Amino acid sequence: MAERTDYEYIVVGAGPAGVQMAYYMEKSKMDYLVVERADGPGSFYRKYPRHRNLISINKKYNVFPEPEFNMRHDWNSLLCDEEDPLLFTDYSEDLFPNAGLLVKYIEDFCKKYKTNIRYNTNITNVHRDEKSNGHKSRSRFTLTDEKGTTFTCRVLMIGTGPIVPHEPKIPGVELIDSYQEHSLDLEEYKNKKVCILGGGNSAFEVADHLAGSAGLIHMFNRHPVKFAWDTHFVGHLRAVNNNVLDMYHLKSLHALRQCEATRIWKTEDGKFSIEYDMHLPNWDPPGTGRFVTSGYDKIISCTGWKFLNIAMFDDSCKPEMHTEDKYPVLDEHWQSTVPDMYVIGTAMQARDRRAASGFIHGFRYNVRTLTNMLQNTYNSKELKKQIFSPIDQEEICNFVVKHISVVSGLYQMGQGFLCDVMLIKKDGDAKTDAPTAGRVEYLRELPQAWVKKQDWFMDAKMAIIITIEDTISKYPTLSATEFFTPGDANASNCKCSPFPQGVFRVYKNGKMAEELYIGGSLVVRADTRNFDGDTNPERYVNKVKNLFFRHTGIGKDGFYEQLFSPDMWPKVYRPWTQEEIAEQTKKEVDKLKKAQQFECSISILRPQVDVSDM
């Protein structure tokens, strides 16, 4: 019997995203195939990261017992609905484990759970035909592998991950080493002068590896380095890779330069020279200098990846790209500009530069959500929902506060990227403190941007969008990355919180009627006491009950929302005197003035300077 090659869904790539998709498609009995060019799953991690330590957190012990809560801090496991799931935390207790263990974990996942994956199948061409079927137009994709075998499908998903190195357009770049192929032998770098192009985690990963061997390291990046501890975005520079930065600030030879390389060449002595532009806003007059640094023994390009191999698609289905062809253009549910072609895995970060889509702990939730959305779109299955009927204020509000206290998907895909939706369908308008006829339909983990375009949401008389969001950006100033002063704990609407918190937005016929920030806590839970003496741990659910009553008239209102009871407040809180307020204000003003008093002593701008000895 000839091997079957036609499917409704085909996934290209059996990395963590492709395997996660296969797991959920198998459970949903969808007609699918995953094709993978290597001889096993997770092959990217056989080589990358080059220095083998993952930067995805592997925190096994988290105080709280709920498995769902613990997934917030397990960044490498795939999602699994079984009672005894296979977890990566059982493979290592290291906070940043060796990447080889992740390969073993993904292989074991495919052995334990049924998946339809065809290995050693390297797709080299993708073609799309638009065919008419009666009154409906129905596309088909044809995929051809390097052996000439063809596969066809109605819906195509690309999960190839970081597949093509993003090579900077610098004359002479072909002469230097790359992140993908540079030598890991530290003997080659002993007391050498090394230049690294790039300012992301891969560049700092290389620099960290070489920091003890190289005599001098210069890092060139055209943009300011963004730090994860400032931005709270997992894709920016992580502390685990910042030893070179530490040495730079402590004046230990290694250094960072914010500049743009314009040319590289090799000199007669076999060393490298690099020309670069540097913006100098503090010079007099401000301008741009063009400099040359010579004498590098090694230059290594660490400028990231492109997340689609655009050469794989012929003109019938070539998706649009952005950011120097690094990312595909995606709509609200990860569909590319080619109809019926979706992108999964780390490339989902094309729409998400604030949450965690670029890492397993983010895109695993996106993949689960997309599986449900695909069945809704192509197989006419309703989106999964939980029904509460009759509507009981106490039941629904307690449920949702407990849910956001442990849920991992909304937590990882915060900043409102994924959201839960409560559709409130009430019978009658009379206010009552008893359960009332009607129903609440609760839908989980949908892309918020997609939800707001759906007729069922825009036409809903009342809906509540629920997210978990980091609101640190709402602080007017924030100068310290290591310490956050809590916002006003007695505020009913805590828009300034140093910790992620539940956010409830009430919509009526598609228009927002109220926005409630319920407040955060150190452990990001709304169902526990924050500290000894926390006399009102129910304040979170009380805020939600009051909100629910304000807009539905169901149940009661007047629930107490403050941190402390009135009699407790003067026992734990001492307001500052006017003198203390003035002193604190002066400190902040002095700090701001100091930051603005930086002056550059160099006042002459030369068109080109050789700074070989810098």
Side-chain angles (χ1 to χ4, degrees):
M1 179 184 290
E3 187 174 2
R4 184 182 170 199
T5 58
D6 180 68
Y7 294 84
E8 185 170 17
Y9 300 95
I10 287 182
V11 181
V12 181
V19 171
Q20 186 73 88
M21 181 65 78
Y23 172 81
Y24 279 111
M25 286 189 156
E26 190 72 38
K27 282 186 69 71
S28 301
K29 297 181 171 53
M30 298 168 73
D31 182 37
Y32 79 97
L33 173 70
V34 179
V35 292
E36 164 59 43
R37 64 180 177 179
D39 59 1
S43 61
F44 177 85
Y45 295 98
R46 296 178 189 175
K47 182 176 180 179
Y48 303 106
R50 292 296 311 282
H51 305 94
R52 306 313 290 145
N53 272 1
L54 299 170
I55 60 171
S56 297
I57 290 171
N58 177 58
K59 192 169 184 297
K60 184 171 184 175
Y61 304 107
N62 303 297
V63 178
F64 294 97
E66 300 94 346
E68 176 71 11
F69 178 88
N70 289 326
M71 284 295 284
R72 292 180 172 187
H73 310 289
D74 172 357
W75 287 14
N76 299 289
S77 291
L78 298 178
L79 301 179
C80 177
D81 296 337
E82 317 305 323
E83 289 186 4
D84 182 27
L86 188 67
L87 299 175
F88 183 77
T89 49
D90 293 332
Y91 285 66
S92 173
E93 294 188 2
D94 292 339
L95 191 60
F96 300 105
N98 185 278
L101 288 175
L102 185 58
V103 178
K104 178 69 166 59
Y105 167 75
I106 296 172
E107 290 173 345
D108 289 349
F109 191 94
C110 291
K111 292 174 184 175
K112 183 170 182 176
Y113 306 112
K114 184 181 178 183
T115 52
N116 188 23
I117 303 176
R118 174 175 168 143
Y119 298 108
N120 299 306
T121 304
N122 184 22
I123 301 300
T124 56
N125 181 264
V126 179
H127 176 79
R128 180 177 183 268
D129 281 321
E130 188 78 35
K131 294 182 179 179
S132 179
N133 182 10
H135 297 289
K136 293 184 178 180
S137 179
R138 196 168 182 180
S139 66
R140 299 296 291 180
F141 291 95
T142 300
L143 289 69
T144 305
D145 71 8
E146 61 186 359
K147 300 172 186 174
T149 305
T150 58
F151 305 83
T152 55
C153 63
R154 179 186 180 190
V155 181
L156 178 63
M157 278 164 283
I158 306 297
T160 49
I163 190 169
V164 179
H166 181 257
E167 188 173 275
K169 296 178 181 179
I170 304 170
V173 73
E174 70 281 356
L175 301 173
I176 66 175
D177 294 337
S178 68
Y179 170 77
Q180 290 76 15
E181 301 300 335
H182 76 282
S183 173
L184 302 183
D185 184 359
L186 292 177
E187 289 293 327
E188 294 186 26
Y189 301 93
K190 281 189 174 179
N191 206 30
K192 301 296 185 182
K193 189 175 179 180
V194 179
C195 177
I196 297 173
L197 304 182
N201 278 300
S202 62
F204 278 90
E205 173 199 331
V206 173
D208 193 57
H209 179 69
L210 302 180
S213 297
L216 180 149
I217 297 173
H218 286 165
M219 300 187 71
F220 283 27
N221 191 44
R222 58 180 174 173
H223 303 297
V225 176
K226 294 182 179 179
F227 305 107
W229 56 83
D230 279 336
T231 65
H232 294 198
F233 174 57
V234 69
H236 290 152
L237 177 61
R238 305 283 299 288
V240 69
N241 280 331
N242 75 354
N243 280 330
V244 163
L245 185 64
D246 191 54
M247 296 176 74
Y248 171 47
H249 285 295
L250 296 176
K251 302 172 286 296
S252 294
L253 287 178
H254 304 327
L256 279 68
R257 285 176 171 169
Q258 185 182 330
C259 58
E260 184 165 6
T262 55
R263 184 165 60 101
I264 297 169
W265 65 96
K266 208 165 188 178
T267 53
E268 291 182 358
D269 58 2
K271 296 182 183 293
F272 292 93
S273 293
I274 183 167
E275 177 188 81
Y276 54 95
D277 287 347
M278 182 182 292
H279 296 310
L280 301 163
N282 299 302
W283 287 30
D284 185 16
T288 298
R290 174 157 289 185
F291 305 108
V292 173
T293 298
S294 302
Y296 288 117
D297 298 286
K298 297 270 190 179
I299 299 180
I300 306 171
S301 174
C302 303
T303 50
W305 301 85
K306 295 181 180 180
F307 293 91
L308 282 188
N309 179 9
I310 202 69
M312 187 169 71
F313 307 92
D314 70 18
D315 291 340
S316 67
C317 59
K318 203 174 288 290
E320 292 181 21
M321 306 288 287
H322 66 87
T323 316
E324 298 179 344
D325 291 337
K326 187 171 183 176
Y327 299 111
V329 176
L330 304 178
D331 70 7
E332 294 81 6
H333 65 319
W334 305 287
Q335 184 174 223
S336 73
T337 52
V338 178
D340 307 315
M341 181 192 294
Y342 296 80
V343 173
I344 63 172
T346 183
M348 286 171 148
Q349 67 183 290
R351 283 196 59 83
D352 167 27
R353 305 299 293 165
R354 298 181 69 197
S357 292
F359 287 67
I360 293 173
H361 68 287
F363 65 66
R364 64 190 179 191
Y365 301 103
N366 294 344
V367 168
R368 179 170 67 184
T369 291
L370 179 57
T371 309
N372 296 330
M373 297 175 79
L374 291 173
Q375 291 183 89
N376 177 251
T377 301
Y378 296 99
N379 306 119
S380 301
K381 289 189 176 181
E382 280 195 5
L383 292 171
K384 295 178 181 178
K385 61 184 70 171
Q386 187 171 350
I387 306 298
F388 296 85
S389 182
I391 304 175
D392 186 308
Q393 176 199 36
E394 187 79 15
E395 179 190 22
I396 188 66
C397 293
N398 278 297
F399 160 78
V400 72
V401 168
K402 179 64 178 178
H403 177 62
I404 64 171
S405 295
V406 300
V407 67
S408 180
L410 294 187
Y411 177 86
Q412 297 294 8
M413 297 308 299
Q415 306 309 99
F417 192 83
L418 291 184
C419 69
D420 287 359
V421 185
M422 287 172 54
L423 297 176
I424 302 168
K425 301 181 178 181
K426 186 179 68 161
D427 293 344
D429 295 322
K431 291 188 176 182
T432 175
D433 59 3
T436 187
R439 55 196 269 147
V440 170
E441 297 179 357
Y442 197 96
L443 296 86
R444 300 190 185 191
E445 294 177 20
L446 296 170
Q448 185 173 181
W450 179 83
V451 167
K452 290 180 177 178
K453 288 190 172 184
Q454 303 311 302
D455 290 341
W456 54 261
F457 173 78
M458 297 300 295
D459 295 340
K461 290 184 178 181
M462 190 178 304
I464 302 178
I465 285 182
I466 302 163
T467 58
I468 296 177
E469 299 181 20
D470 178 346
T471 55
I472 195 69
S473 61
K474 294 183 181 293
Y475 274 83
T477 60
L478 181 65
S479 57
T481 58
E482 73 280 1
F483 178 77
F484 304 127
T485 302
D488 186 353
N490 260 11
S492 292
N493 202 343
C494 301
K495 293 189 176 181
C496 284
S497 172
F499 314 109
Q501 60 173 310
V503 183
F504 294 73
R505 294 182 175 91
V506 180
Y507 288 84
K508 297 178 180 179
N509 298 110
K511 294 184 178 180
M512 189 167 69
E514 186 176 351
E515 180 180 59
L516 173 67
Y517 294 76
I518 66 170
S521 72
L522 280 170
V523 294
V524 194
R525 294 187 70 135
D527 63 343
T528 62
R529 296 180 186 273
N530 280 2
F531 47 84
D532 293 345
D534 184 352
T535 56
N536 186 26
E538 297 295 315
R539 65 187 171 280
Y540 300 110
V541 72
N542 286 349
K543 292 178 184 182
V544 178
K545 287 178 182 177
N546 289 336
L547 174 80
F548 193 81
F549 178 83
R550 282 196 295 274
H551 294 280
T552 68
I554 298 171
K556 301 176 182 178
D557 68 350
F559 292 96
Y560 189 69
E561 298 184 356
Q562 304 305 316
L563 175 60
F564 300 108
S565 57
D567 62 319
M568 191 70 180
W569 181 247
K571 297 177 182 179
V572 299
Y573 189 75
R574 181 186 67 80
W576 282 348
T577 64
Q578 288 301 315
E579 291 77 12
E580 288 172 317
I581 293 173
E583 182 182 355
Q584 181 65 23
T585 301
K586 183 178 183 301
K587 287 180 180 178
E588 294 299 321
V589 171
D590 289 346
K591 189 186 301 181
L592 184 62
K593 284 182 179 178
K594 188 175 182 180
Q596 294 173 341
Q597 283 175 350
F598 172 77
E599 292 182 2
C600 185
S601 60
I602 302 174
S603 58
I604 300 175
L605 192 65
R606 302 183 185 278
Q608 181 165 301
V609 181
D610 190 328
V611 286
S612 302
D613 298 325
M614 288 178 63

